[in-house]
């Protein structure tokens, strides 16, 4: 589990333990999956697909795979997530040891390394915000998506 200490979880469906175990099981059952993220914005799926227009980033979130509890994506973030320790360790070593290949930025370089390790177009998963989401209480003003007005609310 990677997260800062100022995130709160909201679980409209099931409990936090259920979703932590669900995320671990996703990683256990799919070696191409490198991250299971807890969404910060209620419109996470749309936000990712809108990154090209908004920031010229090739964001892609696609369909729901296996269940409606998560979707696959190519957008890496260090928002609260479950990782395999060996994946994050290997990706960090790749970034550190290959500065000519990987941008030396924690999310950009590490995200690219994690994509390389996944070896597929959509190596990350995000849990459905109808079931669980997070709010970053350390910077409340950043929890509102300026384009849609969507907010991650404390429930």
């Amino acid at each position: 589990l990677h997260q800062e200490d100022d995130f709160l979880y909201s679980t409209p469906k099931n409990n936090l333990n259920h979703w932590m175990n669900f995320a671990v099981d996703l990683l256990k059952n799919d070696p191409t999956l490198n991250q299971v993220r807890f969404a910060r914005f209620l419109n996470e799926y749309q936000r990712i697909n809108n990154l090209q227009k908004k920031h010229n980033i090739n964001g892609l979130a696609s369909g729901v795979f296996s269940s409606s509890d998560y979707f696959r994506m190519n957008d890496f973030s260090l928002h609260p997530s479950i990782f395999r320790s060996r994946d994050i360790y290997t990706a960090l070593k790749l970034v550190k040891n290959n500065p000519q290949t990987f941008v030396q930025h924690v999310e950009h370089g590490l995200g690219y390394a994690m994509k390389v390790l996944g070896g597929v177009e959509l190596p990350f998963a995000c849990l459905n915000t109808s079931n669980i989401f997070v709010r970053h209480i350390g910077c409340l003003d950043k929890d509102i998506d300026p384009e849609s007005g969507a907010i991650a609310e404390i429930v």
Side-chain angles (χ1 to χ4, degrees):
L1 172 65
H2 172 271
Q3 72 170 39
E4 296 173 24
D5 64 354
D6 58 348
F7 276 89
L8 293 179
Y9 288 80
S10 180
T11 55
K13 183 178 174 189
N14 293 312
N15 60 35
L16 183 56
N17 189 52
H18 170 85
W19 295 114
M20 293 286 180
N21 286 324
F22 182 86
V24 168
D25 286 343
L26 284 177
L27 290 172
K28 184 175 14 174
N29 295 322
D30 186 345
T32 68
L33 195 59
N34 287 348
Q35 174 190 44
V36 180
R37 186 159 84 213
F38 302 98
R40 187 170 161 194
F41 297 104
L42 297 178
N43 67 334
E44 192 72 4
Y45 185 89
Q46 295 84 3
R47 189 190 69 75
I48 292 167
N49 282 315
N50 207 25
L51 287 173
Q52 181 69 43
K53 182 175 122 185
K54 190 172 178 183
H55 298 294
N56 201 29
I57 295 171
N58 185 23
L60 177 63
S62 183
V64 177
F65 291 66
S66 302
S67 75
S68 62
D69 292 329
Y70 71 101
F71 59 87
R72 298 285 296 244
M73 62 187 173
N74 70 351
D75 180 58
F76 178 81
S77 170
L78 286 174
H79 290 163
S81 303
I82 302 289
F83 297 98
R84 285 184 210 87
S85 55
R86 73 169 183 258
D87 290 347
I88 199 82
Y89 174 79
T90 303
L92 286 167
K93 293 294 277 182
L94 281 171
V95 172
K96 181 180 179 220
N97 295 333
N98 298 284
Q100 70 287 355
T101 304
F102 297 96
V103 177
Q104 298 298 295
H105 179 278
V106 69
E107 281 186 316
H108 299 173
L110 183 58
Y112 181 61
M114 293 293 281
K115 289 176 188 178
V116 168
L117 289 176
V120 295
E121 184 181 19
L122 304 172
F124 313 123
C126 185
L127 298 182
N128 187 330
T129 58
S130 298
N131 301 329
I132 184 169
F133 59 90
V134 297
R135 183 157 192 204
H136 193 188
I137 61 172
C139 60
L140 294 177
D141 62 326
K142 299 274 195 278
D143 269 355
I144 300 172
D145 181 28
E147 194 161 299
S148 69
I151 186 168
E153 297 185 37
I154 300 172
V155 176

